[in-house]
Amino acid sequence: MIISLVALLSATLFTGAAFYITLVEHPARLGLGDGPMLQQWQPSYKRALPIQSGLAVIGGVAGLIAGYLTKDWLWVAGSVALLANWPFTLWAIFPVNKRLMALNPRLADFESRAMLVQWGRLHGVRSFLGAAAMLLFALPFMR
């Protein structure tokens, strides 16, 4: 089914982007000084937001449709994992994002660095939610 492939592809792209940010981009960013680190994070976040949120919605909705059509709980479970990124982001990450976006990079200091370290840990959760969804969406293809 095409809708199943859309769900799996969206979850895979979401997970790849999330792990890239968690394992590559953010650790490299943490190697910068406080001001440049924040200055790099702000536009990066703005660019990643529509991509990752869009992939989560597309994959989650496609997975729910596949679950409805196939009556296979794995699609629904994968959709729940992928769509869980939305409430997790709004509840746990968005307050940190909002504070970081409001800061002037010229005034960055140890506090903004601590917030970015916290942001990285929180973003890691998104990576694992995506990986769980990807695995759950892949399992029906292995039967």
Side-chain angles (χ1 to χ4, degrees):
M1 260 192 315
I2 298 281
I3 199 74
S4 304
L5 289 173
V6 168
L8 178 58
L9 179 62
S10 297
T12 302
L13 290 170
F14 175 93
T15 303
F19 272 113
Y20 172 79
I21 292 165
T22 298
L23 298 174
V24 178
E25 181 181 313
H26 196 63
R29 179 186 301 131
L30 291 174
L32 298 172
D34 296 341
M37 175 175 47
L38 182 59
Q39 189 173 15
Q40 192 281 333
W41 179 86
Q42 289 172 334
S44 176
Y45 167 74
K46 286 180 184 178
R47 289 182 179 134
L49 177 65
I51 295 168
Q52 283 202 286
S53 61
L55 287 169
V57 169
I58 291 166
V61 170
L64 289 173
I65 294 168
Y68 175 78
L69 294 174
T70 65
K71 309 296 187 238
D72 189 340
W73 68 272
L74 289 169
W75 294 107
V76 175
S79 292
V80 168
L82 195 55
L83 292 171
N85 278 288
W86 274 83
F88 178 76
T89 299
L90 291 173
W91 176 73
I93 300 177
F94 187 69
V96 177
N97 289 353
K98 193 172 177 180
R99 289 174 46 208
L100 287 167
M101 290 302 289
L103 291 174
N104 182 331
R106 285 181 271 133
L107 303 175
D109 59 10
F110 69 94
E111 189 176 335
S112 59
R113 177 173 291 277
M115 282 190 284
L116 279 163
V117 168
Q118 177 189 16
W119 181 90
R121 279 191 234 110
L122 292 170
H123 193 272
V125 173
R126 292 173 47 102
S127 300
F128 285 103
L129 286 170
M134 186 179 68
L135 177 62
L136 288 163
F137 287 166
L139 288 174
F141 288 100
M142 294 184 218
R143 294 185 196 153

